[in-house]
mmCIF file of all heavy atoms in Angstrom:
data_model
loop_
_atom_site.group_PDB
_atom_site.id
_atom_site.type_symbol
_atom_site.label_atom_id
_atom_site.label_comp_id
_atom_site.label_asym_id
_atom_site.label_seq_id
_atom_site.Cartn_x
_atom_site.Cartn_y
_atom_site.Cartn_z
ATOM 1 N N LEU A 9 -28.241 28.483 26.433
ATOM 2 C CA LEU A 9 -26.983 28.189 25.708
ATOM 3 C C LEU A 9 -26.195 27.349 26.469
ATOM 4 O O LEU A 9 -25.790 27.709 27.578
ATOM 5 C CB LEU A 9 -26.372 29.506 25.266
ATOM 6 C CG LEU A 9 -25.120 29.487 24.391
ATOM 7 C CD1 LEU A 9 -25.485 28.752 23.053
ATOM 8 C CD2 LEU A 9 -24.441 30.741 24.314
ATOM 9 N N PRO A 14 -13.456 21.234 26.993
ATOM 10 C CA PRO A 14 -12.769 20.084 26.991
ATOM 11 C C PRO A 14 -12.587 19.584 28.539
ATOM 12 O O PRO A 14 -12.532 20.535 29.447
ATOM 13 C CB PRO A 14 -11.372 20.269 26.352
ATOM 14 C CG PRO A 14 -11.600 21.499 25.653
ATOM 15 C CD PRO A 14 -12.797 22.221 26.331
ATOM 16 N N LYS A 15 -12.339 18.420 28.727
ATOM 17 C CA LYS A 15 -12.289 17.942 30.252
ATOM 18 C C LYS A 15 -11.165 18.536 31.028
ATOM 19 O O LYS A 15 -11.323 18.900 32.182
ATOM 20 C CB LYS A 15 -12.151 16.356 30.123
ATOM 21 C CG LYS A 15 -11.950 15.825 31.539
ATOM 22 C CD LYS A 15 -11.894 14.276 31.481
ATOM 23 C CE LYS A 15 -11.716 13.655 32.766
ATOM 24 N NZ LYS A 15 -11.415 12.198 32.885
ATOM 25 N N GLN A 17 -9.970 21.570 30.795
ATOM 26 C CA GLN A 17 -10.302 22.975 31.020
ATOM 27 C C GLN A 17 -11.319 22.870 32.192
ATOM 28 O O GLN A 17 -11.334 23.792 33.086
ATOM 29 C CB GLN A 17 -10.979 23.654 29.853
ATOM 30 C CG GLN A 17 -9.876 24.125 28.874
ATOM 31 C CD GLN A 17 -10.443 24.765 27.672
ATOM 32 O OE1 GLN A 17 -11.652 24.946 27.596
ATOM 33 N NE2 GLN A 17 -9.392 25.445 26.858
ATOM 34 N N LEU A 20 -9.473 22.180 35.353
ATOM 35 C CA LEU A 20 -8.663 23.471 35.737
ATOM 36 C C LEU A 20 -9.736 24.534 36.363
ATOM 37 O O LEU A 20 -9.281 25.046 37.415
ATOM 38 C CB LEU A 20 -7.956 24.036 34.473
ATOM 39 C CG LEU A 20 -7.206 25.239 34.744
ATOM 40 C CD1 LEU A 20 -6.177 25.033 35.836
ATOM 41 C CD2 LEU A 20 -6.592 25.832 33.469
ATOM 42 N N LEU A 21 -10.775 24.598 35.743
ATOM 43 C CA LEU A 21 -11.753 25.603 36.352
ATOM 44 C C LEU A 21 -12.241 25.118 37.796
ATOM 45 O O LEU A 21 -12.376 25.997 38.668
ATOM 46 C CB LEU A 21 -13.089 25.652 35.532
ATOM 47 C CG LEU A 21 -12.820 26.480 34.258
ATOM 48 C CD1 LEU A 21 -14.090 26.298 33.373
ATOM 49 C CD2 LEU A 21 -12.620 27.978 34.569
ATOM 50 N N GLU A 22 -12.455 23.831 37.964
ATOM 51 C CA GLU A 22 -12.846 23.325 39.253
ATOM 52 C C GLU A 22 -11.615 23.590 40.339
ATOM 53 O O GLU A 22 -11.855 23.851 41.434
ATOM 54 C CB GLU A 22 -13.105 21.789 39.189
ATOM 55 C CG GLU A 22 -13.643 21.206 40.473
ATOM 56 C CD GLU A 22 -15.102 21.859 40.839
ATOM 57 O OE1 GLU A 22 -15.862 22.275 39.881
ATOM 58 O OE2 GLU A 22 -15.256 21.858 41.969
ATOM 59 N N LYS A 26 -11.846 25.892 43.740
ATOM 60 C CA LYS A 26 -11.552 25.370 45.001
ATOM 61 C C LYS A 26 -10.496 26.250 45.765
ATOM 62 O O LYS A 26 -10.517 26.512 46.828
ATOM 63 C CB LYS A 26 -11.063 23.868 44.951
ATOM 64 C CG LYS A 26 -12.174 22.874 44.763
ATOM 65 C CD LYS A 26 -11.528 21.522 44.728
ATOM 66 C CE LYS A 26 -12.752 20.491 44.295
ATOM 67 N NZ LYS A 26 -12.212 19.139 44.239
ATOM 68 N N LEU A 32 -10.807 32.608 50.333
ATOM 69 C CA LEU A 32 -11.948 33.400 50.859
ATOM 70 C C LEU A 32 -12.219 33.024 52.182
ATOM 71 O O LEU A 32 -12.676 33.810 52.956
ATOM 72 C CB LEU A 32 -13.128 33.421 49.949
ATOM 73 C CG LEU A 32 -13.031 34.127 48.600
ATOM 74 C CD1 LEU A 32 -14.225 33.996 47.770
ATOM 75 C CD2 LEU A 32 -12.687 35.609 48.754
ATOM 76 N N GLN A 48 -15.922 46.805 69.310
ATOM 77 C CA GLN A 48 -16.863 45.778 68.996
ATOM 78 C C GLN A 48 -16.201 44.414 68.986
ATOM 79 O O GLN A 48 -16.795 43.384 69.503
ATOM 80 C CB GLN A 48 -17.526 46.126 67.698
ATOM 81 C CG GLN A 48 -18.660 45.133 67.323
ATOM 82 C CD GLN A 48 -19.328 45.436 65.957
ATOM 83 O OE1 GLN A 48 -18.749 46.264 65.249
ATOM 84 N NE2 GLN A 48 -20.388 44.939 65.698
ATOM 85 N N SER A 55 -14.035 54.129 74.836
ATOM 86 C CA SER A 55 -13.270 54.742 75.920
ATOM 87 C C SER A 55 -12.263 53.812 76.510
ATOM 88 O O SER A 55 -11.043 54.225 76.880
ATOM 89 C CB SER A 55 -14.159 55.438 76.850
ATOM 90 O OG SER A 55 -14.976 54.547 77.601
ATOM 91 N N LEU A 56 -12.686 52.538 76.698
ATOM 92 C CA LEU A 56 -11.928 51.556 77.168
ATOM 93 C C LEU A 56 -10.595 51.195 76.202
ATOM 94 O O LEU A 56 -9.583 51.040 76.509
ATOM 95 C CB LEU A 56 -12.556 50.226 77.716
ATOM 96 C CG LEU A 56 -11.778 49.239 78.316
ATOM 97 C CD1 LEU A 56 -11.194 49.744 79.575
ATOM 98 C CD2 LEU A 56 -12.545 48.044 78.767
ATOM 99 N N ILE A 57 -10.938 51.196 74.967
ATOM 100 C CA ILE A 57 -9.994 50.977 73.849
ATOM 101 C C ILE A 57 -8.966 52.145 74.064
ATOM 102 O O ILE A 57 -7.778 51.935 73.977
ATOM 103 C CB ILE A 57 -10.541 50.858 72.452
ATOM 104 C CG1 ILE A 57 -11.479 49.563 72.385
ATOM 105 C CG2 ILE A 57 -9.499 50.885 71.444
ATOM 106 C CD1 ILE A 57 -10.710 48.236 72.538
ATOM 107 N N TRP A 60 -6.788 51.486 77.054
ATOM 108 C CA TRP A 60 -5.778 50.359 76.788
ATOM 109 C C TRP A 60 -4.694 50.913 76.000
ATOM 110 O O TRP A 60 -3.561 50.440 76.126
ATOM 111 C CB TRP A 60 -6.547 49.298 76.138
ATOM 112 C CG TRP A 60 -7.403 48.436 77.037
ATOM 113 C CD1 TRP A 60 -7.389 48.491 78.420
ATOM 114 C CD2 TRP A 60 -8.271 47.340 76.640
ATOM 115 N NE1 TRP A 60 -8.413 47.636 78.791
ATOM 116 C CE2 TRP A 60 -8.902 46.887 77.779
ATOM 117 C CE3 TRP A 60 -8.601 46.824 75.366
ATOM 118 C CZ2 TRP A 60 -9.828 45.744 77.787
ATOM 119 C CZ3 TRP A 60 -9.556 45.790 75.368
ATOM 120 C CH2 TRP A 60 -10.154 45.282 76.532
ATOM 121 N N ARG A 61 -4.918 51.721 74.898
ATOM 122 C CA ARG A 61 -3.997 52.153 74.101
ATOM 123 C C ARG A 61 -3.027 53.079 74.805
ATOM 124 O O ARG A 61 -1.759 53.005 74.579
ATOM 125 C CB ARG A 61 -4.611 52.988 72.838
ATOM 126 C CG ARG A 61 -3.752 53.403 71.899
ATOM 127 C CD ARG A 61 -4.347 54.199 70.657
ATOM 128 N NE ARG A 61 -4.698 55.539 71.120
ATOM 129 C CZ ARG A 61 -5.954 55.902 71.304
ATOM 130 N NH1 ARG A 61 -6.956 55.286 71.092
ATOM 131 N NH2 ARG A 61 -6.173 57.262 71.783
ATOM 132 N N ILE A 71 -1.679 57.827 61.010
ATOM 133 C CA ILE A 71 -1.163 58.802 59.968
ATOM 134 C C ILE A 71 -2.194 59.906 60.074
ATOM 135 O O ILE A 71 -3.316 59.789 59.858
ATOM 136 C CB ILE A 71 -1.173 58.156 58.562
ATOM 137 C CG1 ILE A 71 -0.281 57.030 58.453
ATOM 138 C CG2 ILE A 71 -0.816 59.326 57.652
ATOM 139 C CD1 ILE A 71 -0.248 56.328 57.157
ATOM 140 N N ARG A 75 -6.282 56.647 62.728
ATOM 141 C CA ARG A 75 -5.757 55.584 63.663
ATOM 142 C C ARG A 75 -6.221 54.267 63.197
ATOM 143 O O ARG A 75 -7.546 54.112 63.210
ATOM 144 C CB ARG A 75 -5.946 55.858 65.062
ATOM 145 C CG ARG A 75 -5.419 55.001 66.187
ATOM 146 C CD ARG A 75 -5.562 55.286 67.594
ATOM 147 N NE ARG A 75 -6.835 56.067 67.825
ATOM 148 C CZ ARG A 75 -6.846 57.409 68.192
ATOM 149 N NH1 ARG A 75 -5.841 58.188 68.110
ATOM 150 N NH2 ARG A 75 -8.098 57.828 68.491
ATOM 151 N N ALA A 84 -2.864 39.252 69.274
ATOM 152 C CA ALA A 84 -1.628 38.801 70.058
ATOM 153 C C ALA A 84 -1.552 39.568 71.299
ATOM 154 O O ALA A 84 -1.102 39.020 72.476
ATOM 155 C CB ALA A 84 -0.380 39.065 69.285
ATOM 156 N N GLN A 92 -2.529 40.774 86.019
ATOM 157 C CA GLN A 92 -1.225 41.084 86.450
ATOM 158 C C GLN A 92 -0.596 42.067 85.805
ATOM 159 O O GLN A 92 0.109 43.006 86.404
ATOM 160 C CB GLN A 92 -0.282 39.778 86.445
ATOM 161 C CG GLN A 92 -0.745 38.657 87.481
ATOM 162 C CD GLN A 92 -1.800 37.895 86.943
ATOM 163 O OE1 GLN A 92 -2.228 37.845 85.823
ATOM 164 N NE2 GLN A 92 -2.397 36.939 87.725
ATOM 165 N N LEU A 95 -1.968 45.435 86.931
ATOM 166 C CA LEU A 95 -1.562 45.706 88.360
ATOM 167 C C LEU A 95 -0.184 46.292 88.188
ATOM 168 O O LEU A 95 0.192 47.210 89.030
ATOM 169 C CB LEU A 95 -1.723 44.582 89.268
ATOM 170 C CG LEU A 95 -3.108 44.011 89.633
ATOM 171 C CD1 LEU A 95 -3.085 42.796 90.534
ATOM 172 C CD2 LEU A 95 -3.931 45.293 90.411
ATOM 173 N N ARG A 96 0.731 45.623 87.345
ATOM 174 C CA ARG A 96 2.125 46.072 87.421
ATOM 175 C C ARG A 96 2.179 47.585 86.835
ATOM 176 O O ARG A 96 2.957 48.442 87.323
ATOM 177 C CB ARG A 96 2.881 45.221 86.403
ATOM 178 C CG ARG A 96 3.489 44.059 86.911
ATOM 179 C CD ARG A 96 4.408 43.433 86.155
ATOM 180 N NE ARG A 96 4.102 43.039 84.780
ATOM 181 C CZ ARG A 96 3.513 42.082 84.284
ATOM 182 N NH1 ARG A 96 3.187 41.044 85.110
ATOM 183 N NH2 ARG A 96 3.079 41.921 82.935
ATOM 184 N N ALA A 98 -0.350 49.780 87.014
ATOM 185 C CA ALA A 98 -1.010 50.798 87.932
ATOM 186 C C ALA A 98 -0.039 51.139 89.039
ATOM 187 O O ALA A 98 -0.290 52.193 89.628
ATOM 188 C CB ALA A 98 -2.315 50.088 88.488
ATOM 189 N N SER A 99 0.916 50.362 89.387
ATOM 190 C CA SER A 99 1.659 50.557 90.694
ATOM 191 C C SER A 99 3.015 51.460 90.214
ATOM 192 O O SER A 99 3.137 51.696 89.195
ATOM 193 C CB SER A 99 2.093 49.420 91.361
ATOM 194 O OG SER A 99 2.794 48.485 90.431
#
Side-chain angles (χ1 to χ4, degrees):
L9 179 64
K15 182 179 178 181
Q17 288 182 348
L20 183 58
L21 285 172
E22 189 61 33
K26 286 180 184 179
L32 290 172
Q48 184 179 13
S55 62
L56 188 55
I57 294 302
W60 286 352
R61 189 181 70 248
I71 298 175
R75 181 175 35 253
Q92 291 79 16
L95 292 173
R96 277 195 309 270
S99 58

